[in-house]
Amino acid sequence: MNTIAVIPARYASTRFPAKLMQDLGGKTVILRTYEAAVNTHLFQDVFVVTDSILIYDEIINNGGKAIMSVKEHESGSDRIAEAVENLDVDIVVNVQGDEPFINAAPLAKLLDIFRNDFDKKVDLASLMVEISDKAEIENPNNVKVVTDQNGFALYFSRSVIPYPRDENAGVRFMKHIGIYAFRKEALLAFYNLPMKSLEASEKLEQLRYLEYGKRIKMIETTHVGIGIDTPEDLEKARKLI
């Protein structure tokens, strides 16, 4: 099973412009993320795919591998799909460019799903973590997911799902962590299918997969990555470094 990691890396960021090129202990955020992905030793290859010549040069000049996007893209999946379309790979793992503290254990669990999926019933695999704080559950920036009894995603939403009409029912609230492992054919199908109403409404690209009948296997983890979304996050990361 030929497995690669792809790190989509946009230069422009709404909340923190140019965050991937910020200094983090003597190296840029994107270079540290790339090196962390390589150092997991889980992948046959690791690529950064970007719309920025600055990010491209940063990776190439430091001995890494990068691909320039040809087209404009609305989602990370689209950017990755264009990059891998002509690569001989089976499984593609999307690693977030702003998470330089990669933990190998949950990524290994994602890959194990495909190694054991002999009937190819899984199109994608992704991660979720239980949340219990009321404010965190109600925060629309935290994407929630509900699954069936076999761990396949039924729906993702920015709203509270399931709605706790009976607070004694014992439901668990699961936050989606946006790290994906794709079968290449599922990723390319996404790339060639138009956005439908659920994805357009929630602004969640994973809903396109569900709307077209793709099966997303969810894996529970206790590891929550450290993303750099704001200047304050960067300062925390610098302290960790």
Side-chain angles (χ1 to χ4, degrees):
M1 187 174 74
N2 189 8
T3 303
I4 66 169
V6 178
I7 306 170
R10 290 177 64 247
Y11 183 79
S13 173
T14 304
R15 285 184 287 182
F16 188 3
K19 65 181 180 180
L20 298 184
M21 289 298 291
Q22 298 298 312
D23 178 76
L24 181 55
K27 296 182 180 181
T28 58
V29 171
I30 188 61
L31 181 59
R32 284 203 177 274
T33 303
Y34 177 85
E35 291 178 345
V38 170
N39 290 335
T40 65
H41 304 293
L42 293 173
F43 310 108
Q44 276 75 51
D45 235 330
V46 179
F47 298 91
V48 169
V49 56
T50 183
D51 59 355
S52 165
I53 191 64
L54 290 175
I55 292 175
Y56 178 88
D57 287 345
E58 172 70 1
I59 299 301
I60 294 297
N61 292 339
N62 284 281
K65 296 184 179 181
I67 300 170
M68 280 292 294
S69 295
V70 176
K71 304 175 184 177
E72 291 292 326
H73 297 292
E74 291 190 9
S75 74
S77 289
D78 288 317
R79 191 177 301 281
I80 293 170
E82 181 201 295
V84 306
E85 189 169 14
N86 296 315
L87 297 181
D88 181 18
V89 298
D90 301 305
I91 305 299
V92 180
V93 177
N94 173 4
V95 174
Q96 302 300 313
D98 59 2
E99 293 203 4
F101 303 101
I102 293 171
N103 187 301
L107 296 180
K109 287 183 179 180
L110 290 182
L111 297 180
D112 285 342
I113 290 296
F114 293 99
R115 293 191 181 96
N116 297 317
D117 182 31
F118 302 110
D119 296 328
K120 292 191 175 182
K121 293 182 177 180
V122 178
D123 297 299
L124 295 79
S126 193
L127 299 171
M128 60 183 181
V129 63
E130 185 174 9
I131 53 176
S132 56
D133 179 76
K134 188 172 185 289
E136 195 171 5
I137 292 168
E138 294 177 348
N139 186 342
N141 292 318
N142 292 333
V143 177
K144 278 70 71 175
V145 58
V146 290
T147 66
D148 66 15
Q149 292 300 304
N150 294 312
F152 285 95
L154 294 172
Y155 194 68
F156 298 85
S157 183
R158 298 184 183 279
S159 297
V160 178
I161 54 171
Y163 181 79
R165 183 172 181 178
D166 182 352
E167 294 185 356
N168 296 316
V171 297
R172 303 169 72 209
F173 295 94
M174 308 303 295
K175 176 182 175 181
H176 180 220
I177 299 174
I179 296 174
Y180 298 94
F182 311 87
R183 289 196 188 280
K184 180 184 176 182
E185 51 266 36
L187 184 59
L188 294 183
F190 174 95
Y191 188 45
N192 291 298
L193 290 169
M195 182 188 299
K196 306 295 284 185
S197 59
L198 293 179
E199 179 188 2
S201 175
E202 296 252 21
K203 296 295 185 285
L204 297 174
E205 64 187 74
Q206 60 269 44
L207 290 176
R208 190 186 311 182
Y209 292 100
L210 293 185
E211 288 188 87
Y212 285 101
K214 301 299 182 185
R215 289 165 63 83
I216 305 176
K217 179 75 170 181
M218 301 302 300
I219 303 298
E220 184 173 351
T221 182
T222 57
H223 175 75
V224 180
I226 302 173
I228 299 175
D229 292 319
T230 66
E232 291 75 22
D233 292 334
L234 181 61
E235 289 306 313
K236 292 177 184 177
R238 284 171 174 163
K239 291 177 182 178
L240 280 175
I241 288 290

